[in-house]
Amino acid sequence: MYDEYSEYVDKVDALVSTYLQQEAVSEAELREKVPKFFDLVKSVSPGIKVPPDGSADQNDLVREMTARLLERFRITLDQGNAVVADFKPWLDERWDSQKWPHYAAYRSMLISGGRPPAVIRTLERDVKQIMDLVGDPTVEGAWRRRGLIIGDVQSGKTGTYLALLNMAIDAGYKMLVIIGGHTEDLRRQTQIRADEGLLGQDSRGRLDGTLGNITRTRIGVGKVDPSLQLPNSFTTVDEDFSRFSARTLNVDLETALTGGIVLVVKKNATVLRTLRQWIKQQTKGDERTSMQMLVIDDESDYASVDTSKIEDENPTAVNKAIVELLESSERNSYVGFTATPFANVLMDPDVDQGLFPSDFIYALETPSNYYGATRFFDEDDGVVQETDDQHRSGLRIHTKMAGAEESFPFKHRSGWRLPASPPSPLLPASLERAIDTFIVATAIDDLSGHSRAPKSMLVNVSRYKSVQKQVYDRVVAHVEVTRKVIESHAPLGSDTSDLVRLKRAWEEEYKHLPFSWDQVRASLPAAVEELEVELVNGDTVKEREEAALRHRKWGSLDRRRLIAVGGTILSRGVTLERLLVSYFHQRTQLSDTLLQMGRWFGYRDGYDQLVRVWLDEEVRSWFAYTGRVVADLRREVVTMKALGQTPAQYGLRVRRHPEGLKITAANKMRHSETTTIDVAFYRTLLESTTLLAEEVGARRNVVAYGELFDDCRKLEHVSSVQRFNGAPQGGTTVFADVPVETILKFFETFRAGAEDQSFGVDMGTDGPAGIGFIRRKRNEFPRWDVAFVSGESDRMIEQCVDANVRATVRNKMERFAGPPESYRLANRRLLSATTLEQVARMTDNFDESRWRATQEADASRQTRLGQGSVPSYIDRPVLMVLRVVTKPESKRGVGKAADLDAGLVGAAVAFPEHPDGPDAEYSRNSHAEFVVNKVWLAERDRTSEDEE
């Protein structure tokens, strides 16, 4: 129905978004005003197709539009956190005294595009603060600023820096340079965004040395405000800055141009040097121009960092070229943008003209509708991890990659040949299922009223172009066969074997959605009619340009149905519109590279129920770990801000993975060291990530479990409460107000398995990090709650006399030899999503009033608590212990390990905030391995000298 009245709906949407931008819009207000906006559009747009007044279609449109707007207006965004060196704030003083036409046009463009009001308001606050930090362009004399903006993968960093650049033009910056990616694909993608959001004109075509002789079509901000003085563009969608540009563009930079200069250039040393030389030529012999220069370095952790050897005083080519470009202006500011800032914060801060963010770091928050690493992999927030025995709605991660390792092994080389077909299947079963799922999802998305929206799928299984081409050929063949079957049989209502296969994908993935198989099958022919498969790598640039040109000519560029097969180019920076299904079978041992490969991160409004991801379980765990490390680094920025310190004063650290995953490339960490340091666990949940299975140790854990139960029962002042978990005779038992001595006694014996830094691996004289923290903080937390968590197993725990506690079943445990012999838990999570909250509420150890007060003070927080947030609202620490068993079919190669029927013991501890409040938490209180930068090392050395 939306398609039939699409023009009518779009006009209403734009009108509502424009006029309802105040601080808060109530549901009642929306329900009252939306029908009036429909009537207004109808009255001012004669000839537009509208449903009859009072008809069912009209009522449905109003209802659906109201629901859509309610969802949008609920989207919220927290303001970011800034850490700054000494500087003089200047923007507030000028904000009301001058006009900001470029920024106003950009803001209006976002509003008309349906950006949620709360997001626009917070974006403006963020950008104003960043603009303030970038520096006042009217200040005379030579100056420089260096900063870093930390965002998330595909979270809207480009939109943020376009807002910043618009504001910078209004403030008085004259030369704006966007370093927009290391490939021409990425640069062109950035140029297209800049055309719309900054330049206000379509730059397609070649540069003209006479400037001004080409009349270009106004788009984006240029169309929003036809009177806007547009900047000069010295690059185009089709042309990077080059020697040809340098020869033909002869202008007086100081006097000849109005509106400023914008360049979107590739992250390439030759391009950057050519630009610098051209600037020098235009300054009439002066070494440096006085034009205020602002350089935005997109993906600043990639190629920009100096990776030369410490003894080599010459920086690497791209790093040197960026620094020299900045130094071509006596007034310059550099802002790096990245989602993976590890390399940036580990740079050498002592290089006078380097790119270390010595002046400021600003950590952007993401809107409440953003799906990132934490939400996908770590917080159980609507994302369903694949299980053997259940299916629920929501985003879903598939970790069973049937046939993938045989077809394209993780360690294959460039000469790898896919298994011959036949006798082997054309595609591995898991990839075939992923493609089927994409086709079905496309049909459902069409049925949902989004037939004019683009749809895409990602297939990333190799970094070698020869292997990508083989996979591409087979995907094309599979899609063509499937298309013919659908076109021949789906309209007849018959289910051939191929249609049965598609039906199975619908049953297992989308049966819970409000569309029957008959409806989906009828929609399949339209879903595959224009479905394309595209090979995305350096060999196909020309073909992809021609395809885009055809679609632009036909007016179908914005509604392509595409399966993109590729590798490196698909791994950083590229955005696939409305990405429904991702199939990812690659490994990298670098955290920053890995996280950038997650093209499925981003905003999924209106189709989040359709999103599916296929990836290996270990790779999934690496994504989760990297997401947590980035979150830790963001918290470091918050701590730095609270202490009033700058990046040049506050040492930064990045936690090391206990196994093989590295933070970033070794040459990017040349100015850092690995060291064992202390960390705080306030407001933190620690869980056993591995279970000890070595026979003697596992038996000791079982004894410690039983003694803990007996010790709690014998304490006269301790009360207990039991919560039944649905099983007729089993329930979790919680003891309240248990003395810390009982907890310490348990941890004298209990140990988790290998690799577990919290409860398993000794990190020094205090033992494992979590246990050492308990020992040192025993006086801060003298009273605890202890929960014996009951699971769904038929097995009762005999040691819990009269309590009827059952063992917990975990079907996905990976056995490894250690030492000591252990089982690694799937997803590295011991507890289910709501266990901690339930336990805390059982003993009134959850501060409901504080939680509600936080909700009222900050509407951006979700009404549902993520497990990681619960420790912020408890008053006493909580120890939770479980006995974990597995089904017989999950026992593989047990050998001399402890009998899994007896149950391996796992433990989790939730710590509340410091008794004196969060401000008292900024100290180091436990041991773990970190990579630290030079500032941190200098800070440690100064502390050691003071102590001596």
Side-chain angles (χ1 to χ4, degrees):
M1 182 177 59
Y2 262 32
D3 290 343
E4 185 178 359
Y5 303 110
S6 60
E7 186 180 2
Y8 183 34
V9 169
D10 289 345
K11 285 181 178 292
V12 173
D13 194 333
L15 194 63
V16 174
S17 297
T18 300
Y19 284 97
L20 295 184
Q21 285 290 317
Q22 61 264 36
E23 285 300 312
V25 181
S26 69
E27 181 173 343
E29 186 177 8
L30 271 178
R31 295 193 184 283
E32 176 190 351
K33 290 190 175 184
V34 167
K36 295 178 181 178
F37 281 115
F38 271 100
D39 292 340
L40 179 58
V41 169
K42 190 187 304 183
S43 66
V44 300
S45 304
I48 194 171
K49 186 172 182 180
V50 300
D53 287 338
S55 66
D57 280 355
Q58 174 75 3
N59 294 335
D60 287 346
L61 278 181
V62 171
R63 185 175 63 254
E64 290 181 30
M65 172 61 77
T66 303
R68 181 204 288 189
L69 290 168
L70 280 171
E71 186 65 28
R72 184 186 304 160
F73 277 70
R74 288 190 185 110
I75 295 171
T76 56
L77 173 63
D78 290 343
Q79 189 172 355
N81 288 285
V83 176
V84 304
D86 293 336
F87 85 109
K88 182 181 179 181
W90 59 275
L91 188 60
D92 283 346
E93 200 173 288
R94 284 177 53 188
W95 188 254
D96 295 328
S97 63
Q98 74 165 71
K99 294 182 179 180
W100 302 85
H102 289 86
Y103 174 71
Y106 184 74
R107 186 178 187 276
S108 295
M109 188 187 79
L110 296 181
I111 291 171
S112 63
R115 192 68 61 90
V119 171
I120 290 179
R121 290 192 295 271
T122 305
L123 174 67
E124 181 168 303
R125 290 194 292 269
D126 279 332
V127 172
K128 285 177 68 176
Q129 188 166 353
I130 296 169
M131 185 73 252
D132 210 22
L133 301 173
V134 165
D136 182 355
T138 65
V139 172
E140 296 295 334
W143 49 262
R144 59 190 288 276
R145 303 281 294 168
R146 299 291 181 265
L148 175 68
I149 310 299
I150 303 174
D152 283 281
V153 177
Q154 301 209 131
S155 64
K157 296 186 298 296
T158 303
T160 300
Y161 69 65
L162 288 176
L164 175 65
L165 290 170
N166 276 286
M167 202 175 284
I169 291 176
D170 292 330
Y173 278 89
K174 298 301 183 184
M175 180 172 288
L176 310 177
V177 181
I178 306 173
I179 304 176
H182 62 289
T183 67
E184 184 59 19
D185 272 312
L186 295 178
R187 190 208 69 82
R188 185 182 296 110
Q189 177 177 280
T190 304
Q191 180 79 55
I192 291 171
R193 292 285 304 276
D195 282 1
E196 180 186 36
L198 179 62
L199 291 159
Q201 56 185 342
D202 187 342
S203 71
R204 290 181 179 87
R206 294 184 64 80
L207 288 166
D208 187 334
T210 61
L211 297 172
N213 282 356
I214 299 177
T215 302
R216 298 192 184 277
T217 303
R218 280 189 172 244
I219 59 174
V221 292
K223 198 172 180 181
V224 168
D225 182 358
S227 67
L228 194 65
Q229 172 70 55
L230 300 180
N232 300 279
S233 175
F234 283 9
T235 56
T236 73
V237 171
D238 301 306
E239 192 172 1
D240 196 354
F241 196 85
S242 64
R243 289 188 175 88
F244 172 79
S245 310
R247 287 195 301 269
T248 57
L249 294 171
N250 293 308
V251 296
D252 186 340
L253 291 181
E254 309 295 332
T255 61
L257 296 174
T258 58
I261 300 170
V262 174
L263 302 106
V264 181
V265 298
K266 196 162 48 262
K267 190 173 290 189
N268 175 280
T270 300
V271 172
L272 294 167
R273 282 195 298 264
T274 301
L275 175 56
R276 177 187 176 273
Q277 290 163 2
W278 174 78
I279 293 172
K280 187 175 179 180
Q281 290 167 4
Q282 309 310 309
T283 56
K284 297 182 178 179
D286 293 336
E287 278 296 314
R288 306 168 77 189
T289 179
S290 62
M291 290 184 74
Q292 306 93 325
M293 177 187 291
L294 173 55
V295 173
I296 300 295
D297 186 358
D298 198 3
E299 308 293 354
S300 61
D301 63 305
Y302 185 90
S304 303
V305 177
D306 181 13
T307 57
S308 59
K309 295 180 180 179
I310 291 180
E311 63 271 14
D312 187 353
E313 295 182 358
N314 297 314
T316 46
V318 171
N319 175 270
K320 182 179 179 181
I322 294 174
V323 171
E324 290 180 345
L325 172 63
L326 287 161
E327 292 305 309
S328 67
S329 169
E330 63 184 26
R331 294 184 284 179
N332 65 81
S333 190
Y334 167 89
V335 183
F337 277 75
T338 183
T340 47
F342 309 134
N344 301 86
V345 301
L346 297 175
M347 283 191 222
D348 187 355
D350 298 328
V351 177
D352 289 339
Q353 304 301 328
L355 302 180
F356 180 78
S358 55
D359 293 303
F360 66 91
I361 295 177
Y362 197 97
L364 295 167
E365 297 295 335
T366 50
S368 55
N369 62 328
Y370 173 75
Y371 286 89
T374 299
R375 199 166 180 183
F376 258 101
F377 300 119
D378 218 26
E379 284 295 329
D380 299 314
D381 191 3
V383 180
V384 179
Q385 310 299 340
E386 187 175 51
T387 61
D388 296 327
D389 54 3
Q390 66 175 346
H391 172 76
R392 291 150 50 199
S393 62
L395 295 163
R396 195 177 187 198
I397 311 297
H398 287 275
T399 54
K400 291 182 178 179
M401 306 285 285
E405 188 63 14
E406 293 76 17
S407 295
F408 15 78
F410 281 129
K411 294 184 178 180
H412 72 264
R413 297 188 178 276
S414 59
W416 174 258
R417 305 297 300 174
L418 268 65
S421 176
S424 298
L426 190 65
L427 293 172
S430 54
L431 179 52
E432 184 179 271
R433 166 51 62 85
I435 295 172
D436 290 348
T437 300
F438 173 63
I439 291 172
V440 172
T442 298
I444 293 174
D445 202 35
D446 287 349
L447 288 169
S448 302
H450 303 122
S451 62
R452 296 167 66 231
K455 320 275 194 293
S456 62
M457 174 181 176
L458 175 148
V459 179
N460 186 344
V461 298
S462 176
R463 62 192 181 95
Y464 298 111
K465 291 186 284 188
S466 60
V467 180
Q468 295 166 15
K469 179 63 165 62
Q470 295 175 63
V471 176
Y472 163 79
D473 288 339
R474 295 198 180 190
V475 171
V476 168
H478 175 79
V479 168
E480 286 307 310
V481 169
T482 305
R483 192 198 320 268
K484 289 177 182 178
V485 170
I486 289 172
E487 291 173 345
S488 300
H489 297 280
L492 304 176
S494 59
D495 283 344
T496 64
S497 59
D498 291 283
L499 285 174
V500 167
R501 196 185 68 232
L502 290 164
K503 183 179 181 181
R504 190 177 304 117
W506 167 77
E507 287 175 337
E508 296 186 8
E509 302 294 338
Y510 305 123
K511 190 176 181 179
H512 60 282
L513 297 178
F515 299 103
S516 68
W517 170 243
D518 288 341
Q519 290 174 294
V520 172
R521 180 175 53 201
S523 185
L524 287 173
V528 299
E529 182 180 2
E530 297 180 359
L531 177 58
E532 304 170 68
V533 183
E534 190 168 78
L535 179 59
V536 182
N537 61 33
D539 292 343
T540 63
V541 174
K542 185 176 180 180
E543 292 91 333
R544 287 183 284 119
E545 287 177 352
E546 291 172 350
L549 190 62
R550 285 195 304 273
H551 280 285
R552 195 176 297 117
K553 182 179 179 181
W554 298 337
S556 58
L557 188 62
D558 295 333
R559 58 175 188 270
R560 290 183 76 183
R561 283 112 193 273
L562 179 69
I563 299 177
V565 180
T568 302
I569 291 179
L570 287 179
S571 297
R572 184 183 278 265
V574 167
T575 298
L576 295 173
E577 297 296 335
R578 212 172 179 85
L579 181 59
L580 300 180
V581 174
S582 300
Y583 187 90
F584 183 84
H585 191 68
Q586 287 223 55
R587 273 183 180 166
T588 173
Q589 289 190 313
L590 306 179
S591 291
D592 50 1
T593 301
L594 181 77
L595 198 62
Q596 291 286 354
M597 289 179 170
R599 295 293 98 193
W600 47 87
F601 301 140
Y603 302 98
R604 302 292 175 253
D605 298 341
Y607 64 99
D608 58 325
Q609 295 286 306
L610 301 177
V611 174
R612 299 292 183 266
V613 180
W614 272 259
L615 79 168
D616 174 75
E617 168 57 30
E618 184 174 31
V619 176
R620 187 216 61 77
S621 72
W622 288 359
F623 270 109
Y625 185 88
T626 303
R628 293 196 293 273
V629 170
V630 173
D632 286 345
L633 192 56
R634 285 173 170 275
R635 283 192 286 271
E636 288 281 279
V637 173
V638 173
T639 301
M640 200 189 314
K641 178 182 178 182
L643 295 175
Q645 295 185 340
T646 72
Q649 298 168 330
Y650 183 93
L652 290 166
R653 59 195 184 181
V654 182
R655 186 189 289 265
R656 285 191 63 190
H657 191 271
E659 302 160 37
L661 187 62
K662 300 174 184 176
I663 293 167
T664 187
N667 56 5
K668 293 182 181 180
M669 298 190 291
R670 67 195 186 101
H671 295 291
S672 64
E673 289 187 14
T674 298
T675 185
T676 299
I677 62 177
D678 293 332
V679 292
F681 292 129
Y682 298 110
R683 294 178 291 168
T684 299
L685 172 65
L686 301 179
E687 300 177 70
S688 302
T689 58
T690 59
L691 304 180
L692 185 61
E694 180 271 322
E695 190 170 8
V696 175
R699 191 177 299 119
R700 282 202 305 264
N701 282 349
V702 170
V703 171
Y705 177 99
E707 289 181 350
L708 177 65
F709 186 86
D710 289 341
D711 290 342
C712 290
R713 269 205 326 153
K714 292 174 183 176
L715 293 166
E716 295 182 0
H717 71 283
V718 169
S719 60
S720 68
V721 61
Q722 189 172 47
R723 178 191 180 96
F724 290 98
N725 61 355
Q729 297 177 335
T732 293
T733 297
V734 184
F735 296 89
D737 207 29
V738 175
V740 68
E741 287 75 17
T742 303
I743 310 301
L744 289 171
K745 179 186 174 185
F746 170 75
F747 279 115
E748 286 296 330
T749 303
F750 171 80
R751 285 296 182 271
E755 301 176 352
D756 190 307
Q757 294 187 10
S758 297
F759 305 118
V761 180
D762 284 347
M763 305 300 294
T765 56
D766 285 330
I771 297 174
F773 184 69
I774 296 170
R775 287 172 177 154
R776 287 192 301 280
K777 300 301 172 183
R778 59 190 299 167
N779 294 330
E780 290 179 13
F781 301 120
R783 297 291 174 181
W784 287 58
D785 288 353
V786 178
F788 293 81
V789 179
S790 184
E792 65 280 12
S793 168
D794 293 335
R795 178 177 176 78
M796 289 288 188
I797 306 302
E798 294 85 354
Q799 293 161 302
C800 300
V801 181
D802 301 327
N804 297 329
V805 176
R806 294 172 179 267
T808 296
V809 178
R810 289 288 184 269
N811 294 330
K812 286 188 170 183
M813 295 197 298
E814 177 189 356
R815 175 180 172 268
F816 60 106
E821 193 164 10
S822 306
Y823 276 81
R824 184 184 290 120
L825 290 161
N827 305 336
R828 295 186 175 272
R829 305 310 291 261
L830 176 69
L831 304 178
S832 64
T834 58
T835 301
L836 175 57
E837 182 181 358
Q838 290 174 352
V839 167
R841 290 183 183 277
M842 286 169 66
T843 56
D844 294 324
N845 187 18
F846 182 83
D847 194 331
E848 186 77 27
S849 61
R850 192 158 86 239
W851 163 240
R852 293 301 170 195
T854 304
Q855 287 277 48
E856 293 170 5
D858 185 357
S860 69
R861 293 184 179 269
Q862 300 175 17
T863 56
R864 177 187 172 277
L865 267 173
Q867 181 131 276
S869 301
V870 176
S872 296
Y873 303 99
I874 61 176
D875 298 315
R876 298 182 301 277
V878 181
L879 167 63
M880 291 154 283
V881 289
L882 297 80
R883 293 280 286 278
V884 179
V885 299
T886 191
K887 290 183 177 179
E889 59 268 26
S890 298
K891 299 176 187 175
R892 292 188 289 271
V894 171
K896 294 183 178 180
D899 183 3
L900 284 179
D901 290 334
L904 303 181
V905 181
V909 173
F911 295 99
E913 68 178 27
H914 192 284
D916 295 331
D919 291 342
E921 296 175 4
Y922 301 132
S923 60
R924 301 185 177 93
N925 297 290
S926 192
H927 299 295
E929 275 202 338
F930 283 76
V931 175
V932 299
N933 69 2
K934 289 182 71 173
V935 179
W936 191 95
L937 291 168
E939 181 185 340
R940 179 196 62 183
D941 293 341
R942 283 194 300 272
T943 303
S944 299
E945 290 172 4
D946 292 342
E947 290 173 351
E948 292 172 3

